Amino acid sequence: MNVLSSLLGNLNYGTILFLMLLESTVIPVPSELVVAPAAYHAAGGNLDMFLVILFATIGADMGASLNYIVAYYVGRPVIYRFANSKWGKMCLLNQEKVEKSEKYFYDHGVIATLTGRLLPGIRHLISIPAGLAKMNYWKFLFYTTIGAGCWNCILALMGWYLHSIVPEDQLNDKILEYSEYIKFFILALAVVVIAYFVIKSIMKRLKK
């Protein structure tokens, strides 16, 4: 935890990429406390806003790809065994969480890799069912990049906005407070996106 705190306290493009890589695996790194503070510093002229979002999204893609590859090759029994192990619990993981992400993926199809990136509790695990289902990797990466990019843009805008109203010593508390409101907005947005694709699919079938 000391290493993690040190990295969070010294944000640059390399640490942003690395921390977001970890966040997209099973290691509990809160993306809110990576991207938003980095954007806060970008608003102060210490970093570039575009590069913050770019490196955060590349890191997310790398971490999600790692989950995808592991799930693709080791399969469900090994994933569940790890989730229920001591190491899995240290990562705040359990079989129920993995099953929840699988259900979300199978209920919503490939679009789940996009919308899932926006949902708390699903975001860092949605790449596992994509790998288990052997989804086409490039399609997986495409949707993951869009979803992760949208999420990082939202966090970056929050950090940029907070720079004008919050002193740095209160930043993390304010980010966590604002994140709760953002989660409700994102859930509503995800419902709209899913409904759009469901209606589109139904209309396509009716035309045949």
Side-chain angles (χ1 to χ4, degrees), residues 2-183:
N2 288 336
V3 174
L4 180 58
S5 298
S6 176
L7 290 170
L8 287 169
N10 295 279
L11 291 172
N12 55 52
Y13 303 124
T15 53
I16 291 167
L17 184 145
F18 179 64
L19 287 167
M20 290 302 289
L21 183 157
L22 295 182
E23 190 266 348
S24 283
T25 59
V26 294
I27 298 172
V29 177
S31 57
E32 295 91 335
L33 298 182
V34 178
V35 182
Y40 183 95
H41 294 306
N46 298 319
L47 293 169
D48 181 272
M49 184 74 154
F50 172 77
L51 292 178
V52 166
I53 295 169
L54 177 64
F55 279 94
T57 304
I58 292 171
D61 280 347
M62 291 169 66
S65 293
L66 186 60
N67 271 6
Y68 171 94
I69 291 165
V70 170
Y72 190 102
Y73 287 105
V74 305
R76 187 172 286 100
V78 177
I79 294 291
Y80 282 4
R81 202 175 306 134
F82 173 78
N84 292 322
S85 71
K86 179 179 71 174
W87 294 104
K89 287 180 173 59
M90 285 175 63
C91 294
L92 306 181
L93 197 61
N94 56 48
Q95 185 172 326
E96 184 182 352
K97 288 182 178 179
V98 178
E99 288 175 343
K100 182 181 176 182
S101 68
E102 281 196 85
K103 183 178 186 307
Y104 184 84
F105 180 85
Y106 289 116
D107 284 351
H108 302 104
V110 294
I111 194 62
T113 55
L114 189 162
T115 56
R117 293 295 312 181
L118 303 172
L119 299 177
I122 297 288
R123 181 166 55 249
H124 65 299
L125 297 178
I126 197 63
S127 47
I128 293 175
L132 292 175
K134 303 197 182 306
M135 177 181 176
N136 177 274
Y137 175 72
W138 298 110
K139 186 180 286 188
F140 161 79
L141 186 62
F142 174 74
Y143 284 121
T144 297
T145 301
I146 294 174
C150 289
W151 176 243
N152 291 331
C153 284
I154 291 167
L155 294 180
L157 288 171
M158 176 172 67
W160 186 276
Y161 168 71
L162 289 176
H163 183 267
S164 62
I165 62 168
V166 177
E168 190 167 358
D169 62 339
Q170 297 174 23
L171 178 61
N172 285 354
D173 289 338
K174 214 63 178 173
I175 286 171
L176 294 175
E177 179 188 330
Y178 274 54
S179 293
E180 291 303 310
Y181 300 120
I182 288 173
K183 284 172 186 174

